[in-house]
Amino acid sequence: PAKPTGAGQAGPSRRFVLAPLTLGLASVVVAGGVFFGWRAQEPTFATKVGGQRLEVLEDGSRVRLNTDTKVKVEFREGERRVVLDHGQAFFDVAHDASRPFLVVADGVSVRALGTRFDVRLDGDAVRVTLMQGRVQVRGADGGLAELDPGQAVVADRHRVSRPAAVNAGAVASWTTGRLTFSGVPLRDAVAEVNRYSSRKVVLDAPEAVAEELVSGQFVAGDVENFVAGAQSLYGLRVTSDTPREIRLAPG
């Protein structure tokens, strides 16, 4: 029989807390706690802002949830399906040719047999990045793309982009608790940093400053360190500092 354990929810912002991992067991989140059993029935896993969580599914596949993410596992005879409700997840899929592995996000499906890839649902766009193996991405409109390692596509309900070469290591750097930027506009770096903390950075700067390129690596959730770097590199100053936000403007 299942035994109750402590909840595997993420810890406070600026800290990554992985749910306790029990090999061979799949966890199920239910009201009142987390229960473990030999075969979970459509478990749902979720993280809060600033959290991460690693789960081993019943087939041996591993799913790591990023900040503010929710997935539902729907394994059936002849198919393994995971629905990404929101957020971002990294999949390390156990090979099983008899049961294809599908990740579904907002009408977009990613099909894999044995591979490692990242799926991010951002608004109505789904970004798929392949680290190892091969995946097939199908859009809601029937558009199709096949990825080689080091490629990514963006898909929505209207189209699937052509595969493009990306820095897959930088995309997946969040799995190690870090954010890697390589020539990213400052406004985009701020938006990414804000995903990992309830305390937001507000960039109150003209277009020329917002388009300044950022390169470097930061601890996910460490807002203060990012702000300090922005102040030093781009001549910005803190104009407001509250528990909810840090506002930056040209100095």
Side-chain angles (χ1 to χ4, degrees):
K3 296 181 178 180
T5 71
Q9 292 297 328
S13 61
R14 295 190 294 155
R15 180 179 303 170
F16 283 82
V17 180
L18 299 182
L21 179 62
T22 304
L23 295 179
L25 302 181
S27 61
V28 187
V29 178
V30 296
V34 179
F35 293 83
F36 291 84
W38 289 108
R39 183 177 179 83
Q41 296 299 314
E42 299 196 349
T44 297
F45 307 121
T47 58
K48 296 180 179 179
V49 172
Q52 278 191 19
R53 179 172 180 166
L54 176 64
E55 294 293 338
V56 178
L57 307 185
E58 64 180 65
D59 67 333
S61 297
R62 293 173 178 260
V63 181
R64 186 184 294 273
L65 282 66
N66 200 3
T67 175
D68 191 21
T69 296
K70 180 180 178 181
V71 301
K72 182 178 181 180
V73 180
E74 301 176 346
F75 280 15
R76 301 286 188 274
E77 185 176 352
E79 179 183 272
R80 297 171 291 168
R81 178 186 296 258
V82 177
V83 178
L84 177 62
D85 181 78
H86 61 267
Q88 182 176 18
F90 187 91
F91 298 87
D92 190 347
V93 179
H95 181 74
D96 184 349
S98 66
R99 288 201 302 167
F101 192 100
L102 295 177
V103 178
V104 179
D106 197 29
V108 176
S109 65
V110 185
R111 180 187 178 100
L113 290 176
T115 186
R116 302 171 69 240
F117 59 98
D118 182 278
V119 182
R120 175 173 172 176
L121 178 55
D122 191 2
D124 59 357
V126 180
R127 176 178 291 274
V128 181
T129 305
L130 180 63
M131 282 67 185
Q132 178 183 316
R134 196 169 180 84
V135 297
Q136 185 181 77
V137 180
R138 184 180 297 276
D141 66 342
L144 194 64
E146 291 192 359
L147 301 185
D148 291 324
Q151 290 185 326
V153 295
V154 177
D156 57 27
R157 294 185 175 275
H158 306 292
R159 61 184 288 272
V160 178
S161 71
R162 290 185 177 182
V166 297
N167 185 339
V171 172
S173 64
W174 65 266
T175 62
T176 64
R178 295 187 176 273
L179 305 179
T180 301
F181 300 122
S182 180
V184 175
L186 178 58
R187 64 154 57 90
D188 294 343
V190 167
E192 186 66 12
V193 167
N194 283 342
R195 294 178 62 211
Y196 296 83
S197 176
S198 57
R199 190 183 189 197
K200 308 301 183 184
V201 178
V202 179
L203 183 62
D204 185 11
E207 187 76 9
V209 175
E211 288 296 322
E212 288 280 359
L213 300 183
V214 177
S215 294
Q217 193 173 78
F218 300 87
V219 175
D222 190 348
V223 176
E224 288 81 2
N225 184 50
F226 177 82
V227 167
Q231 285 181 284
S232 174
L233 290 174
Y234 307 109
L236 301 176
R237 63 188 178 90
V238 174
T239 60
S240 176
D241 190 347
T242 73
R244 297 183 63 86
E245 71 174 33
I246 302 178
R247 186 172 293 270
L248 287 174

